[in-house]
Amino acid sequence: MTIQPISLSDLLSFPHHMIDMQKGEYVFREGEVASELYVVCAGKVQLSKTTDEGRELSLRICEQGDAFGEIVPFQLACTCTVSAKMVEAGTLAVIHKQQVEERLLLDHAFALQFMQWLNLQLQRMQTKIRDLILHGKKGALYSTLIRLANSYGVQTEDGILINVPITNQELANFCGSAREVVSRLLKELKELKIISVHKGKITIHDLQFLKDEIRCEGCPIDVCNMN
């Protein structure tokens, strides 16, 4: 039997309430008690972690239809290991931990979907950490460019256009690196004609080069993306 991944409609069938949030507001911060699950109805949410040196490491961008949160069903208490901040104003559906637990007990199909969703989040995190640890700063940037292409890429005559503007600092946050390092690596890629940048948007002319450099394992797009 094929189990479909957890969907927006699955979770929105029992929200506790909805909240409107402005750009820059935190949904929750690292270290707080995790007691709710959230679904993005509108806007964008960035999940990030702060290193001991105070550097921000961006882990995921959640958009409309994405669920996020760090609740552990049937465990008395759990703590947020990341922070969630609105990077675009929007609306979130809030589902309390108790509601999720009740649904898991009553609806076996939903329980299987929820387990699959948790496993997908784990896979995404594992591949992100793998890229950061095994391939260094260059590999982290290359894998981030690949993920951006999978999430926002538009095929053009010149290559794959990442159809969202992104700054060097934002790229650095996703790579856990300094902006100066990312700027130098991007310059090298431009000189090799692997990428070009116009009005803040990156076009990748040779995606295979990036994949070869990090020994890309060809993970499914639902794992290798920014969401």
Side-chain angles (χ1 to χ4, degrees), residues 134-188:
L134 295 184
H135 304 301
K137 304 302 182 185
K138 179 183 288 188
L141 174 61
Y142 289 8
S143 69
T144 297
L145 291 173
I146 294 170
R147 291 170 191 273
L148 285 167
N150 288 340
S151 299
Y152 307 110
V154 176
Q155 188 67 52
T156 70
E157 293 182 358
D158 295 328
I160 300 174
L161 169 67
I162 299 174
N163 200 28
V164 291
I166 187 165
T167 67
N168 289 6
Q169 184 59 62
E170 289 170 331
L171 280 174
N173 290 346
F174 280 114
C175 300
S177 184
R179 180 181 58 81
E180 293 77 12
V181 173
V182 167
S183 297
R184 175 175 55 79
L185 292 172
L186 289 174
K187 181 181 178 182
E188 292 176 1

Side-chain angles (χ1 to χ4, degrees), residues 26-33 80 82-84:
Y26 279 87
V27 184
F28 55 77
R29 293 178 184 266
E30 193 173 343
E32 294 180 351
V33 175
C80 298
V82 301
S83 296

Side-chain angles (χ1 to χ4, degrees), residues 170-210:
E170 289 170 331
L171 280 174
N173 290 346
F174 280 114
C175 300
S177 184
R179 180 181 58 81
E180 293 77 12
V181 173
V182 167
S183 297
R184 175 175 55 79
L185 292 172
L186 289 174
K187 181 181 178 182
E188 292 176 1
L189 289 175
K190 292 176 191 175
E191 292 173 347
L192 292 171
K193 301 189 184 304
I194 303 300
I195 69 167
S196 60
V197 182
H198 179 65
K199 294 184 178 179
K201 294 184 178 181
I202 298 172
T203 295
I204 301 176
H205 304 295
D206 190 347
L207 185 64
Q208 193 59 47
F209 173 88
L210 301 178

Side-chain angles (χ1 to χ4, degrees), residues 6-202:
I6 196 166
S7 68
L8 177 64
S9 59
D10 294 325
L11 292 171
L12 286 184
S13 63
F14 62 105
H16 183 269
H17 63 279
M18 311 286 281
I19 54 174
D20 294 322
M21 302 196 69
Q22 300 303 311
K23 179 179 179 180
E25 283 191 274
Y26 279 87
V27 184
F28 55 77
R29 293 178 184 266
E30 193 173 343
E32 294 180 351
V33 175
S35 59
E36 295 170 331
L37 191 67
Y38 302 87
V39 179
V40 181
C41 299
K44 293 182 182 179
V45 181
Q46 174 183 280
L47 302 186
S48 63
K49 190 171 184 65
T50 303
T51 67
D52 292 338
E53 297 79 22
R55 181 175 296 158
E56 183 182 54
L57 172 61
S58 298
L59 298 172
R60 182 184 171 198
I61 297 293
C62 301
E63 302 182 323
Q64 183 176 8
D66 290 331
F68 66 96
E70 297 190 83
I71 62 170
V72 180
F74 310 109
Q75 181 172 309
L76 289 179
C78 47
T79 303
C80 298
T81 60
V82 301
S83 296
K85 182 175 69 174
M86 301 297 297
V87 291
E88 183 180 288
T91 302
L92 306 179
V94 183
I95 300 131
H96 287 180
K97 177 184 173 185
Q98 182 180 349
Q99 292 176 277
V100 176
E101 292 172 340
E102 291 172 353
R103 182 71 176 269
L104 290 172
L105 289 172
L106 295 173
D107 188 337
H108 292 172
F110 176 80
L112 290 172
Q113 292 171 333
F114 191 79
M115 290 170 60
Q116 187 180 54
W117 176 75
L118 288 176
N119 182 60
L120 179 60
Q121 307 318 304
L122 179 60
Q123 288 184 60
R124 287 172 172 170
M125 193 64 66
Q126 286 177 332
T127 56
K128 174 79 173 180
I129 299 302
R130 175 202 65 196
D131 292 342
L132 288 172
I133 293 176
L134 295 184
H135 304 301
K137 304 302 182 185
K138 179 183 288 188
L141 174 61
Y142 289 8
S143 69
T144 297
L145 291 173
I146 294 170
R147 291 170 191 273
L148 285 167
N150 288 340
S151 299
Y152 307 110
V154 176
Q155 188 67 52
T156 70
E157 293 182 358
D158 295 328
I160 300 174
L161 169 67
I162 299 174
N163 200 28
V164 291
I166 187 165
T167 67
N168 289 6
Q169 184 59 62
E170 289 170 331
L171 280 174
N173 290 346
F174 280 114
C175 300
S177 184
R179 180 181 58 81
E180 293 77 12
V181 173
V182 167
S183 297
R184 175 175 55 79
L185 292 172
L186 289 174
K187 181 181 178 182
E188 292 176 1
L189 289 175
K190 292 176 191 175
E191 292 173 347
L192 292 171
K193 301 189 184 304
I194 303 300
I195 69 167
S196 60
V197 182
H198 179 65
K199 294 184 178 179
K201 294 184 178 181
I202 298 172

